[in-house]
Amino acid sequence: MTTKVYSGAEIVAKALKDQGVDVVFGIVGIPVVEVAEAIISEGIKFIGFRNEQSLSYAAGAYGFLSGRPGVCLVVSGPGVVHALAGLVNAQVNCWPLLLIGGSSDTYQQGMGAFQELDQVTLCRSYTKISTRPPSISQIPNVIDKAIKTSIYGRPGPVYIDLPADFIQGSINYESMNLPGRAADPPKSLADPQSVEEAVRLLLGAKKPLVIIGKGAAYSCAEREINEFIEKTRIPFLPTPMGKGVVSDSHPLCVSAARSKAIGDADVVILLGARLNWILHFGAPPKFNENVKFIQVDILPEEHNNNRRIHVALLGHLPLVVSQLLFYLPSSFSYPSTSDYAQSLRQKIEENIASTNEKFKDDTIPMSYHRAFWEIKKKLPQKDIVFVSEGANTMDIARSIFDIHEPRHRLDAGRFAIETAVRANLPMIIIIINNNGIYHGLDTESYNATSLNALPSTALLPDVRYDLIADATGGKGYFVRTPLELDNAMKEALKDNEKVIVINVMIQPGGRKKLEFAWMETTKSKL
């Protein structure tokens, strides 16, 4: 009988295959080349990147969209350091991610080995678990534990360190205890007494508001939350990545009256939403000083964070919302004739009218609103994933582009163009180019200003980012007018085989004073 002997690299690949991993994002080099080749041999798709920051962001987004950890493979030392950006991003966003980093041989520890770094300690602060297998035989068990840790409870990133001698070593495969695919996370209900208390609070509310967060999207709670909104008729507000759990076009969506909705509400139920900077920490003056919060979350420590939570509902969000539906009286429906509902409707109409006027701006270069309007008119309502990144572009886009499906919006995402072309991703990248960050300068003003006197926000004017797409096999468009943007969008949406870059020139903004919405909350704390 022939004994099956496999290398550590092959064991890693087989363990990932057993866990159902179907794609790995990575950059090869010493000592992980053999791991990447073994992964490909197992039939797992390997997407090679040029920068670890980009691949770790992509893996985090994959984890959010799929519910299973996005897997990264990087080299030792600088490779792990550069991947920390996506690791931290996954931590703060509560996304499942598995980072696998190569490291120097175990016997060379402390000897100044090539790219030697204590990566387990480095990653520990940004992960749920950071570990190294004690032996080659334990690699499958460590991978199993890491994946379970990543998706159980509140999701998050994990790190596994792979020494070079483990990767290149070998072991009898039959002698190993293989754990198989990690089971899906266990699900729990909230305490029934707490659910009853939450229902009593909702029934007594004069100005109730539902806030739908990213956790609702991740937990696939769209069916239960839609039923809850339809039954209760309570106005709702999605956070940026909670958009689409209930369609933005729903008549009870109050995104267009966000400030008034949160400022007037007397009872707020948080569904997978945290009282962090996105929601002004739940603090006055943005929120009513006497507002009462009901919070549904899977992590006990999140309750009573920043503001007192009057009713904490700990459990799996879809199940907890089902409990609320069960305990609510069948006759309950928040009246659309209430002063609160009517005032929100009036504010929505006023704000939409104001925004529609901005869409009509014919100034060249275009304004943000006019450029976004031309894009919005052409985008399909469904079957697109909307990724928004960067200062004013992201901030303004949140209030303009409607999302109708859950897990179809990502904020602050990054992709590498050449990688996208090589991976045949049907992607349209629209660059809102104002020659700077927040504000830039036009060419004349830029050339008339010495380098030392340039604003910190200014970048080189009229950079042709669209040519990068042409150079890598995609297709680029450079547009300055609404008509040119309209035509570029038409052509881009026809092409499902190329990565498209549309470089949209808008008003630079000049030397305006920078103002940020989050500064208002900060000032109120001083």
Side-chain angles (χ1 to χ4, degrees):
M1 181 177 177
T2 304
T3 301
K4 289 185 178 180
V5 176
Y6 289 114
S7 68
E10 291 171 316
I11 296 299
V12 172
K14 289 183 179 297
L16 293 175
K17 183 75 171 180
D18 286 347
Q19 292 291 346
V21 173
D22 56 8
V23 60
V24 171
F25 307 87
I27 296 179
V28 297
I30 297 173
V32 299
V33 176
E34 295 95 331
V35 178
E37 292 301 317
I39 284 170
I40 294 170
S41 296
E42 285 294 327
I44 299 172
K45 185 175 184 179
F46 182 84
I47 301 179
F49 279 68
R50 293 176 178 268
N51 178 274
E52 288 88 359
Q53 183 183 37
S54 296
L55 73 85
S56 59
Y57 279 128
Y62 179 92
F64 170 67
L65 297 174
S66 70
R68 301 288 289 192
V71 180
C72 308
L73 179 67
V74 299
V75 301
S76 58
V80 174
V81 171
H82 294 164
L84 284 178
L87 199 71
V88 174
N89 190 56
Q91 181 192 47
V92 298
N93 277 295
C94 309
W95 292 346
L97 180 148
L98 168 57
L99 174 62
I100 300 174
S103 61
S104 52
D105 293 301
T106 52
Y107 73 89
Q108 294 178 347
Q109 185 171 344
M111 297 173 64
F114 175 67
Q115 295 185 170
E116 182 184 356
L117 184 66
D118 184 358
Q119 294 159 183
V120 173
T121 300
L122 176 69
C123 294
R124 186 165 288 136
S125 296
Y126 313 110
T127 55
K128 295 180 72 177
I129 185 174
S130 180
T131 188
R132 169 187 282 188
S135 64
I136 299 174
S137 65
Q138 286 299 307
I139 288 176
N141 293 318
V142 170
I143 289 176
D144 178 66
K145 181 177 181 179
I147 286 179
K148 285 188 290 191
T149 302
S150 180
I151 60 176
Y152 282 25
R154 172 172 283 179
V158 292
Y159 174 71
I160 295 177
D161 201 61
L162 285 181
D165 48 341
F166 284 17
I167 292 171
Q168 295 160 359
S170 59
I171 192 171
N172 181 351
Y173 189 67
E174 275 80 7
S175 66
M176 299 178 63
N177 181 23
L178 302 176
R181 180 184 168 98
D184 290 335
K187 300 171 183 177
S188 60
L189 293 165
D191 172 43
Q193 289 185 342
S194 296
V195 176
E196 290 180 332
E197 185 180 351
V199 168
R200 284 193 296 270
L201 199 56
L202 280 175
L203 294 178
K206 302 297 183 184
K207 301 175 180 179
L209 177 67
V210 176
I211 297 183
I212 302 171
K214 177 172 49 189
Y218 179 83
S219 63
C220 300
E222 53 267 22
R223 181 177 64 84
E224 292 82 3
I225 293 178
N226 272 274
E227 185 180 350
F228 183 83
I229 296 298
E230 291 300 329
K231 175 180 174 55
T232 64
R233 308 305 295 174
I234 296 175
F236 73 90
L237 173 71
T239 64
M241 289 182 59
K243 290 166 73 71
V245 172
V246 182
S247 172
D248 285 343
S249 62
H250 194 286
L252 292 171
C253 180
V254 294
S255 291
R258 183 183 190 274
S259 295
K260 184 171 183 58
I262 64 176
D264 290 354
D266 61 356
V267 173
V268 173
I269 178 166
L270 301 165
L271 301 180
R274 294 177 286 171
L275 292 177
N276 56 19
W277 71 275
I278 287 287
L279 291 175
H280 315 287
F281 310 104
K286 291 293 186 179
F287 280 83
N288 184 328
E289 187 175 2
N290 298 313
V291 65
K292 292 180 171 61
F293 289 104
I294 302 167
Q295 186 173 31
V296 183
D297 204 279
I298 200 168
L299 184 73
E301 291 84 350
E302 189 59 47
H303 298 299
N304 296 297
N305 188 23
N306 295 324
R307 282 296 298 272
R308 179 193 170 195
I309 300 301
H310 291 75
V311 183
L313 300 176
L314 179 67
H316 181 56
L317 186 57
L319 295 182
V320 177
V321 175
S322 294
Q323 286 180 282
L324 289 168
L325 285 165
F326 178 80
Y327 281 98
L328 275 166
S330 59
S331 60
F332 174 73
S333 179
Y334 183 69
S336 60
T337 56
S338 71
D339 290 343
Y340 180 56
Q342 290 293 316
S343 66
L344 290 177
R345 178 51 50 194
Q346 180 180 348
K347 190 63 176 178
I348 287 170
E349 292 173 358
E350 291 173 359
N351 288 346
I352 288 176
S354 174
T355 300
N356 286 342
E357 285 301 312
K358 296 178 182 179
F359 290 156
K360 299 175 183 177
D361 183 0
D362 290 328
T363 306
I364 303 298
M366 289 178 282
S367 66
Y368 279 102
H369 284 83
R370 182 55 189 267
F372 287 164
W373 173 240
E374 296 300 326
I375 296 166
K376 181 178 180 177
K377 287 191 299 184
K378 290 293 180 290
L379 286 180
Q381 294 293 301
K382 294 187 177 183
D383 298 326
I384 63 165
V385 175
F386 187 93
V387 182
S388 182
E389 194 278 328
N392 291 339
T393 299
M394 181 170 64
D395 293 340
I396 297 172
R398 285 173 178 157
S399 63
I400 292 177
F401 292 96
D402 295 331
I403 306 296
H404 305 285
E405 299 172 285
R407 298 169 297 282
H408 278 62
R409 180 188 172 95
L410 296 169
D411 264 10
R414 293 176 174 85
F415 287 93
I417 291 177
E418 186 274 340
T419 302
V421 172
R422 184 159 29 87
N424 295 319
L425 299 179
M427 183 184 297
I428 301 175
I429 301 170
I430 303 172
I431 299 170
I432 304 299
N433 188 352
N434 69 347
N435 297 336
I437 300 171
Y438 293 107
H439 302 312
L441 300 177
D442 58 36
T443 302
E444 182 180 353
S445 299
Y446 185 92
N447 291 336
T449 306
S450 67
L451 182 61
N452 292 335
L454 284 172
S456 62
T457 60
L459 300 175
L460 193 68
D462 298 338
V463 172
R464 295 295 303 272
Y465 301 107
D466 50 295
L467 297 180
I468 298 174
D470 294 332
T472 56
K475 175 64 178 176
Y477 296 89
F478 183 70
V479 303
R480 292 184 180 274
T481 69
L483 180 60
E484 290 172 349
L485 179 53
D486 181 84
N487 290 334
M489 286 297 299
K490 287 179 183 176
E491 294 302 314
L493 289 168
K494 290 178 185 176
D495 196 335
N496 293 322
E497 297 182 356
K498 288 185 178 179
V499 172
I500 308 294
V501 174
I502 304 177
N503 188 6
V504 184
M505 300 306 303
I506 68 166
Q507 298 166 9
R511 299 177 184 270
K512 293 179 181 177
K513 181 181 178 182
L514 295 178
E515 294 182 357
F516 310 97
W518 54 264
M519 291 178 68
E520 297 178 16
T521 303
T522 304
K523 289 176 182 176
S524 71
K525 294 284 188 179
L526 299 178

